Amino acid sequence: MLTRKELNLPKYSEKVIQFGEGNFLRCFFDWQLDIINKNTDLNAGVAVVRPIDFDAVPLLDTQDGLYTAIIRGINESGQVVKDYTVISSINREIPIYKNFKEYLELAHNEDMRFIVSNTTEAGITFSSEDKYDDEPQATFPAKLTRLLHERFTVFNGDMTKGFILLPCELIDYNGEELKRVVLKYAELWNLGEEFTNWLINGNIWCSTLVDRIVTGYPRGEKEELEKELGYSDNFITTGEYFYLFVIQGPKDILTKELKLEGLNLNILIVDDLKPYKMRKVGILNGAHTAMVPVAYLYGIDTVREAMENEDLRKFIESAIDEEIIPALDMDKKELEEFKDAVINRFKNPYVKHMLMDISLNSMAKYKSRILPQVLELNNRTGKLSKKLLFSLAALIRFYKGVRENGDAIQLRDDKHHLDMYKELWMTNNYNEIVKAVLGLESHWDTDLNAVEGMTDLVAKYLENIDKVGVAKALKEVK
């Protein structure tokens, strides 16, 4: 069992309140904080708040807050790497439903400076049912508002005692949304104008973009890994080699307070997240979505297997190089470096990313991840994105619900989409099918049949895929 005494590891001064004890923050934020602590004088320990009432899993306290992060993947040089690190940045874990008083006491510690959270996309929400005197409140923003008011009260509204907030929930401009909801609670609970002013001007509400595939607790490998480690660890977490933490906020303050100067960490402090969001959605998510129907109809089940197939790898790489990157407004070198990292991530032998998992709600994903690049490239150059539109044709064929070998495809999408495709495929008229799909203005927000040549090209691809198979059809896409 891991203990600080046995491993001669320090216990840092508590400066971070973290909402969420899950694998992602432990393999992402706490892992980065551990590097900063070991290489600078930041000396920042974490008090983890378990935001839900859950007894089945023991607290991190049972291991002195320690756990092993196993980082595995392909590095910038194309080499397979595996790194084991005992993370010592977490001091303790507070079960808020049992120790609400201990939770509020976090606000009394004048050294506390950062608040980090990852309470899922649904975590930043408002409920008028939450009351100031609840112990605790139901929603995360309500719990946070109560803590912030405690801080405001204890330090008499001192503007220098506010926090730097770094929410990591996967929603656009998460810091702005969290601030909006907290201010709504302040109004609901009649906490006064002075408190509202302190919330706005005494705290730094950062929005973030987080990127790392965290594969979590390695259930099937635990015994083998513990033999390699030489000790037992009930909180092992695993993640890929790549990571990116983009923070929208004041660069001078954040760089200084997080001690980032001179550190080789992939943490970017920026004025606006949008270009990085577009880069991630376009290149990483877009490539995933473009890959799924083509590779799955090809007879492949995972992302890594798709990358091991020369035809599919070339298809994805050329789609990114020729049709996605030219439609994005960002430094070309940065985009190409990100693309190289994405391809290495797709090849990661330690991540088994099932194509069918990515296929969930593919119609919506095509609209948000790929269509903007298709339309932008057409607007800039007058050209059609042949590879991305081949993927659309493959997606339409995918929704026929059967693979080329006759196996049924377990489609997962909104019922109205599934019903539409079921009816369309009863006709087997490729041109009519494509016209109907491209004409879904309620879905695409435009009639895509109006884009010159798009209907004919997608219909041609669809007919080829359905008649000769995706492997042969793909070879004709130039």
Side-chain angles (χ1 to χ4, degrees):
M1 192 65 73
L2 295 173
T3 66
R4 290 178 192 269
K5 184 177 180 181
E6 183 179 331
L7 297 177
N8 193 30
L9 290 171
K11 195 165 190 175
Y12 300 106
S13 300
E14 282 187 359
K15 296 179 182 177
V16 182
I17 301 170
Q18 176 174 306
F19 288 85
E21 77 295 339
N23 284 299
F24 180 78
L25 282 181
R26 290 193 292 112
C27 202
F28 184 77
F29 178 82
D30 301 319
W31 174 85
Q32 292 175 78
L33 186 61
D34 192 69
I35 294 173
I36 297 172
N37 279 332
K38 288 173 179 173
N39 289 279
T40 72
D41 61 353
L42 180 62
N43 185 29
V46 179
V48 171
V49 178
R50 181 173 291 193
I52 58 173
D53 192 8
F54 193 62
D55 290 327
V57 179
L59 298 178
L60 289 159
D61 294 20
T62 58
Q63 291 185 177
D64 267 0
L66 304 175
Y67 62 93
T68 309
I70 301 177
I71 306 303
R72 308 182 289 190
I74 298 176
N75 66 14
E76 296 85 352
S77 302
Q79 300 171 313
V80 177
V81 293
K82 183 162 62 171
D83 177 70
Y84 304 88
T85 305
V86 176
I87 306 300
S88 57
S89 49
I90 293 177
N91 287 355
R92 57 183 171 132
E93 185 178 352
I94 300 169
I96 189 173
Y97 282 81
K98 294 178 175 57
N99 296 326
F100 190 71
K101 182 181 177 184
E102 186 180 355
Y103 165 68
L104 287 185
E105 286 173 353
L106 293 172
H108 297 222
N109 177 358
E110 65 177 335
D111 291 333
M112 284 293 187
R113 183 56 171 150
F114 303 95
I115 294 178
V116 181
S117 65
N118 184 32
T119 56
T120 79
E121 296 92 312
I124 301 180
T125 187
F126 177 82
S127 171
S128 60
E129 300 299 313
D130 277 313
K131 305 291 189 294
Y132 181 87
D133 293 328
D134 290 344
E135 295 188 5
Q137 295 73 23
T139 69
F140 156 57
K143 293 181 180 78
L144 175 60
T145 306
R146 180 65 184 87
L147 182 77
L148 291 171
H149 191 254
E150 184 80 8
R151 181 77 163 188
F152 170 80
T153 303
V154 168
F155 292 102
N156 298 309
D158 187 340
M159 287 291 184
T160 69
K161 298 302 181 189
F163 293 104
I164 294 172
L165 293 101
L166 300 165
C168 297
E169 286 79 5
L170 298 178
I171 60 174
D172 288 343
Y173 296 101
N174 43 27
E176 293 176 20
E177 178 63 11
L178 181 59
K179 179 170 71 171
R180 185 189 70 80
V181 178
V182 166
L183 288 170
K184 202 170 176 181
Y185 277 114
E187 181 182 5
L188 176 71
W189 295 340
N190 297 311
L191 299 180
E193 289 185 13
E194 285 188 32
F195 177 57
T196 296
N197 180 56
W198 181 84
L199 285 176
I200 295 170
N201 298 306
N203 296 271
I204 300 174
W205 301 81
C206 301
S207 288
T208 71
L209 184 150
V210 299
D211 192 2
R212 169 173 260 175
I213 295 172
V214 172
T215 40
Y217 188 73
R219 296 188 184 281
E221 304 173 83
K222 184 175 188 294
E223 189 174 328
E224 176 188 344
L225 288 172
E226 287 187 336
K227 281 184 181 177
E228 289 184 37
L229 295 171
Y231 55 81
S232 173
D233 184 349
N234 291 321
F235 297 100
I236 295 174
T237 186
T238 60
E240 66 170 334
Y241 175 82
F242 178 89
Y243 71 97
L244 172 66
F245 194 13
V246 186
I247 305 171
Q248 179 179 298
K251 187 169 186 176
D252 53 343
I253 295 173
L254 293 172
T255 300
K256 181 181 178 181
E257 297 224 23
L258 285 168
K259 306 284 185 179
L260 297 178
E261 196 71 50
L263 286 183
N264 188 27
L265 286 171
N266 204 13
I267 301 176
L268 306 178
I269 314 297
V270 301
D271 294 327
D272 187 4
L273 292 172
K274 187 175 180 180
Y276 298 90
K277 170 79 172 177
M278 295 299 293
R279 182 182 74 171
K280 178 178 182 287
V281 170
I283 296 177
L284 173 64
N285 303 129
H288 263 152
T289 297
M291 176 195 305
V292 167
V294 180
Y296 196 73
L297 291 175
Y298 206 102
I300 283 170
D301 294 314
T302 69
V303 171
R304 181 167 62 87
E305 289 169 330
M307 288 296 99
E308 290 170 350
N309 179 291
E310 185 177 359
D311 290 339
L312 291 171
R313 180 180 53 76
K314 285 182 178 178
F315 168 72
I316 292 301
E317 289 198 30
S318 60
I320 297 173
D321 287 335
E322 299 166 17
E323 300 176 4
I324 295 177
I325 286 178
L328 296 174
D329 290 320
M330 205 171 177
D331 179 74
K332 188 178 180 182
K333 186 172 183 291
E334 279 191 60
L335 293 170
E336 289 173 344
E337 288 174 352
F338 186 73
K339 172 246 182 177
D340 291 340
V342 164
I343 296 300
N344 281 338
R345 297 170 76 181
F346 288 173
K347 294 176 181 177
N348 190 343
Y350 297 105
V351 176
K352 190 175 184 180
H353 207 165
M354 305 302 294
L355 295 174
M356 283 305 295
D357 289 340
I358 306 170
S359 77
L360 176 66
N361 297 326
S362 283
M363 284 290 285
K365 286 177 178 174
Y366 193 96
K367 176 189 175 183
S368 64
R369 299 176 173 186
I370 298 178
L371 185 60
Q373 281 66 249
V374 171
L375 295 178
E376 184 61 24
L377 187 71
N378 182 256
N379 182 54
R380 292 182 182 187
T381 67
K383 296 178 181 178
L384 292 172
S385 302
K386 293 182 179 179
K387 294 169 183 67
L388 296 180
L389 290 176
F390 182 86
S391 175
L392 178 58
L395 183 62
I396 295 170
R397 172 59 182 80
F398 179 84
Y399 277 94
K400 189 175 184 179
V402 61
R403 289 176 104 165
E404 292 174 10
N405 64 3
D407 289 348
I409 299 173
Q410 300 303 312
L411 300 171
R412 294 182 296 164
D413 211 318
D414 290 341
K415 186 176 183 298
H416 67 273
H417 287 317
L418 299 181
D419 290 344
M420 176 195 71
Y421 277 111
K422 185 176 181 181
E423 184 175 342
L424 286 174
W425 274 109
M426 290 175 69
T427 70
N428 265 343
N429 184 317
Y430 303 112
N431 210 56
E432 290 303 314
I433 292 171
V434 170
K435 276 185 179 178
V437 174
L438 297 190
L440 286 173
E441 289 190 56
S442 60
H443 178 70
W444 307 117
D445 298 327
T446 186
D447 183 351
L448 294 177
N449 291 297
V451 180
E452 186 177 354
M454 185 180 289
T455 307
D456 291 341
L457 184 63
V458 176
K460 173 190 168 186
Y461 287 155
L462 178 61
E463 183 172 1
N464 283 348
I465 293 168
D466 195 45
K467 286 186 174 178
V468 305
V470 74
K472 288 183 180 178
L474 185 60
K475 292 183 184 299
E476 297 180 24
V477 182
K478 305 296 182 183

